[in-house]
Amino acid sequence: MRNAEATKNTIINESANLFNTQGYKATSISDITKATGLTKGAIYRHFENKGDLEKHALQRLSKVMFGEIGTSIKEAKDFRTKIEAIFSFFENYMNTPLYEGGCPVMNAAVEADDANPILREQACAMLQQFKDAVSTLIKNGIKNNQVKPDTDVAFYSTIFIATLEGGIMMSRLQRDKKAITHTIAHLRNIVTEISI
């Protein structure tokens, strides 16, 4: 039983890396057999089909990303340091990525069109989880008198996420940290504006 679970984990980890770097559509089961050293039969013993494997891989990427951000947020004491933990995650991503290939939310969102509704649904769920986390930080900041009470939570949570995702996309594309550094500097100004 332990070996079966270890094999399944290996398949998920290797697939997650391939999907996030090469793309979901471009990655074949043959690519996964090469990366894992397993046969197609061994892979299909653990997953119904490639779509099932894609789902598990994206869940793993999501768990790693939100686990890392969540740990940093829990260690922070107030609104500013909690939101700064998110900024630091994105700022450090260029030098020390948790996985190759960029942000899994953006990668899945870009690739998840109407041809892959399951992947799109998962990408939407990841985005919503991220949005909920940022919204909760702002709401708690308001409740604890650290954020102005008239702050529009939905508006600012959207602005924070869209700016961070855009900054990381531009930095990865240009292979330069300037875009993410500039966007975070802008977001820090926004934090100052809405903070008490």
Side-chain angles (χ1 to χ4, degrees):
M1 191 64 148
R2 195 176 295 153
N3 282 348
E5 199 58 38
T7 301
K8 186 174 183 178
N9 271 326
T10 298
I11 296 166
I12 292 171
N13 288 335
E14 292 294 335
S15 299
N17 186 49
L18 288 169
F19 291 142
N20 208 50
T21 52
Q22 295 180 184
Y24 290 82
K25 195 181 272 187
T27 301
S28 67
I29 292 296
S30 294
D31 293 329
I32 295 164
T33 60
K34 280 181 203 158
T36 59
L38 299 168
T39 64
K40 282 186 184 182
I43 290 167
Y44 287 127
R45 260 195 299 282
H46 296 279
F47 303 95
E48 293 172 29
N49 50 39
K50 187 182 169 203
D52 184 39
L53 180 52
E54 289 173 353
K55 183 179 87 174
H56 281 85
L58 187 52
Q59 284 170 349
R60 178 66 50 88
L61 290 167
S62 173
K63 187 177 177 184
V64 170
M65 177 180 169
F66 291 121
E68 183 78 13
I69 293 172
T71 299
S72 298
I73 289 171
K74 282 178 191 159
E75 290 169 359
K77 302 291 181 224
D78 56 22
F79 170 72
R80 278 181 178 257
T81 53
K82 286 178 185 293
I83 206 82
E84 188 61 39
I86 296 173
F87 297 165
S88 294
F89 173 84
F90 278 86
E91 199 165 33
N92 295 331
Y93 198 89
M94 291 298 292
N95 296 331
T96 54
L98 293 174
Y99 24 65
E100 295 300 314
C103 177
V105 178
M106 180 172 291
N107 290 345
V110 167
E111 198 166 338
D113 55 18
D114 293 334
N116 195 336
I118 293 166
L119 191 65
R120 185 179 186 281
E121 191 178 303
Q122 271 191 277
C124 281
M126 285 176 75
L127 177 59
Q128 190 60 52
Q129 184 180 353
F130 195 10
K131 202 169 176 190
D132 289 346
V134 174
S135 295
T136 299
L137 290 185
I138 298 169
K139 285 177 190 171
N140 288 341
I142 293 168
K143 190 172 90 178
N144 296 319
N145 296 316
Q146 297 164 353
V147 173
K148 291 175 182 171
D150 60 345
T151 300
D152 185 332
V153 175
F155 174 82
Y156 282 103
S157 59
T158 298
I159 293 299
F160 284 135
I161 293 167
T163 306
L164 288 168
E165 290 289 351
I168 203 75
M169 178 273 294
M170 289 177 68
S171 279
R172 284 191 54 75
L173 193 61
Q174 296 168 335
R175 298 182 198 279
D176 186 318
K177 278 187 78 171
K178 280 183 193 161
I180 192 62
T181 302
H182 292 165
T183 56
I184 289 172
H186 174 65
L187 291 178
R188 285 182 178 132
N189 289 334
I190 292 174
V191 168
T192 300
E193 286 170 20
I194 67 170
S195 294
I196 293 174

